[in-house]
Amino acid sequence: MTPGQRGNRVLVLNSGSSSVKYQLLDMAGPTRLAVGLVERIGERGPGLLRHTPGEGDTRERELPVPDHRAALEAAAGELAADGLGLDAPELAAVGHRVVHGGRSFTEPTVVDDAVLAEIERLVPLAPLHNPANVAGIRTAMALNPDVPQVAVFDTAFHTTIPEHAARYAIDVRTAEEHRIRRYGFHGTSHAYVSRRTAALLGRDPAEVNVIVLHLGNGASASAVAGGRCVETSMGLTPLEGLVMGTRSGDIDPAVVFHLARVAGMSADEVDALLNQRSGLAGLCGDNDMREILRRVEEGDGEARLAFDIYIHRLRKYIGAYTAVLGRVDALAFTAGVGENAAPVRAAAVAGLTGLGLEIDERLNTARGRGARLISPEYARVAVAVVPTDEELEIATQAFALVGV
Ligand code: ADP
């Protein structure tokens, strides 16, 4: 390597309050050099580290991890044992997933003190996530001050949503004072999947309109016109929109006042109800779609109703986003449920031939891992299954920013 040149490696960090997920990628491929997870950071009892090298078996061990620094040091130790150093210049960048970038961050950004201060200023909008993201960035900076740290924001892809879709119809001054608007989340996934869908069609992203359904434990839909996001289902927080594993999604906000007045519930109690004890779990006791599908097969009425409510909401969003886009070229399913649950995909578009949507049931149920089409050739709208890869997208954005 000549002086001043950077290597091809990017470390991606997703720091939560009690866990850190990491991946080391070589962007020349790109290839995944290692994947790992440190859990139970700062909790009583030992932490857990799980590390899988690009080739070779997963290693798992318990260890003390009082804080994020200990977690990252342990991860660096595992990588070093595989001969993978984290020093500049081989390591070109560390890419950090940051949940909330507010309106300040529309693009991936190299972190300096001002950027860190701004991410901290956004903590009231993402009290559970941004502090952990900041802890991860600070730790990585301290451990390796020579490597550029790049923040990649979950909200950034949605900053192109026009005002008429991003604003709530509430008093303007109150909204402005408290920064209340629709920000959207899962942006890295929506960006990656919409671009990958265009590639699957052999077309330039600038030419195609795509509806992306990111259906994981958290779930969101987006409408992407010519590569730019114009609408998404999550709002001020990830609670709005689709029915999710444990979140209600859309609900009449008056339910909150009703519960406060009639049931005497506090704001925190209603928050916990809607975020943790609602959605599929609230409706039938299970939040895992595999389990729900199994119960539906057995004729379980509660699971059936939960499934039907989930699907009904999904279909409403498909219809709404068809109207938002005017012309839809593709509908893409992604994340754990979207990639794996053929019955969900089939039910989501059943009878929507009027919107140009149709699924070839043989293609829908065929085993496959990569991005693939599941609509018949003659269908007006292509329906696709596109595995998401948020870590690759973060690495790609970080690498493009620091250059070589
Ligand atoms: P997140 O990143 O939001 O935690 P994922 O995208 O990993 O979630 O999705 C996890 C969910 O995917 C699980 O809760 C489960 O409901 C669903 N899932 C995973 N595999 C399957 C499968 N084979 N069939 C149906 N659902 C699945």
Side-chain angles (χ1 to χ4, degrees):
M1 223 173 288
T2 53
Q5 199 182 10
R6 287 190 205 282
N8 292 321
R9 285 184 193 164
V10 176
L11 177 70
V12 176
L13 292 181
N14 183 350
S15 308
S17 55
S18 68
S19 72
V20 174
K21 292 183 193 147
Y22 62 91
Q23 286 199 12
L24 186 64
L25 292 103
D26 184 335
M27 300 314 288
T31 43
R32 232 167 283 264
L33 301 172
V35 179
L37 166 72
V38 186
E39 286 179 299
R40 305 207 294 250
I41 298 170
E43 290 182 9
R44 270 197 287 151
L48 184 73
L49 183 146
R50 196 177 309 124
H51 177 92
T52 310
E55 280 166 30
D57 294 333
T58 298
R59 305 192 290 268
E60 209 176 284
R61 66 189 168 91
E62 291 192 335
L63 73 175
V65 271
D67 52 24
H68 282 79
R69 185 179 181 103
L72 278 195
E73 280 174 347
E78 291 298 319
L79 290 164
D82 293 340
L84 299 167
L86 293 180
D87 293 323
E90 279 78 15
L91 187 65
V94 181
H96 297 267
R97 175 186 183 222
V98 180
V99 166
H100 219 306
R103 299 186 75 188
S104 319
F105 298 107
T106 58
E107 289 178 344
T109 306
V110 175
V111 179
D112 57 21
D113 288 343
V115 169
L116 267 180
E118 185 59 21
I119 298 172
E120 281 184 322
R121 202 180 66 84
L122 295 165
V123 164
L125 291 173
L128 297 180
H129 293 104
N130 273 31
N133 300 154
V134 169
I137 295 173
R138 282 197 196 285
T139 311
M141 275 175 140
L143 289 178
N144 213 332
D146 299 332
V147 178
Q149 311 287 324
V150 179
V152 178
F153 300 90
D154 253 20
T155 46
F157 186 59
H158 303 306
T159 54
T160 51
I161 292 176
E163 282 298 284
H164 59 256
R167 294 275 291 272
Y168 294 108
I170 63 170
D171 173 69
V172 174
R173 271 166 295 278
T174 307
E176 278 174 0
E177 188 182 344
H178 299 288
R179 295 180 282 179
I180 296 170
R181 59 188 284 117
R182 307 187 51 249
Y183 294 98
F185 300 89
H186 290 147
T188 311
S189 177
H190 288 287
Y192 175 83
V193 171
S194 56
R195 230 182 32 245
R196 186 76 191 77
T197 304
L200 185 66
L201 302 180
R203 297 178 64 184
D204 185 336
E207 288 173 5
V208 296
N209 291 349
V210 188
I211 297 174
V212 178
L213 301 175
H214 176 112
L215 310 177
N217 201 19
S220 62
S222 69
V224 183
R228 289 164 70 84
C229 187
V230 294
E231 176 64 290
T232 196
S233 60
M234 285 177 167
L236 174 74
T237 76
L239 184 56
E240 192 178 349
L242 301 175
V243 175
M244 314 186 203
T246 64
R247 297 188 198 123
S248 63
D250 295 337
I251 196 167
D252 180 347
V255 169
V256 179
F257 329 137
H258 183 78
L259 287 171
R261 292 184 191 124
V262 175
M265 289 171 76
S266 67
D268 285 348
E269 284 168 342
V270 181
D271 188 325
L273 170 79
L274 297 181
N275 275 296
Q276 293 155 26
R277 301 202 313 280
S278 296
L280 294 169
L283 288 165
C284 74
D286 275 311
N287 66 335
D288 191 317
M289 189 55 81
R290 281 166 291 205
E291 189 56 19
I292 292 168
L293 292 174
R294 195 189 58 72
R295 286 173 57 186
V296 169
E297 277 289 302
E298 286 177 352
D300 180 325
E302 214 177 44
R304 174 84 237 177
L305 182 59
F307 180 82
D308 289 347
I309 293 170
Y310 182 94
I311 296 294
H312 179 71
R313 184 81 51 85
L314 206 49
R315 290 164 65 85
K316 285 212 294 192
Y317 270 89
I318 293 170
Y321 287 8
T322 300
V324 166
L325 288 169
R327 185 202 81 231
V328 182
D329 299 296
L331 174 72
F333 287 92
T334 195
V337 176
E339 291 167 28
N340 297 299
V344 169
R345 298 192 295 257
V349 303
L352 297 185
T353 45
L355 299 181
L357 285 160
E358 227 172 303
I359 274 183
D360 178 325
E361 204 36 41
R362 194 183 52 82
L363 295 175
N364 187 34
T365 50
R367 287 195 179 278
R369 290 191 65 80
R372 58 199 184 275
L373 289 173
I374 56 169
S375 47
E377 234 165 78
Y378 59 80
R380 208 163 75 233
V381 179
V383 183
V385 178
V386 179
T388 192
D389 194 336
E390 288 164 280
E391 290 77 14
L392 176 61
E393 180 66 17
I394 290 171
T396 304
Q397 291 191 17
F399 194 62
L401 188 62
V402 300
V404 266

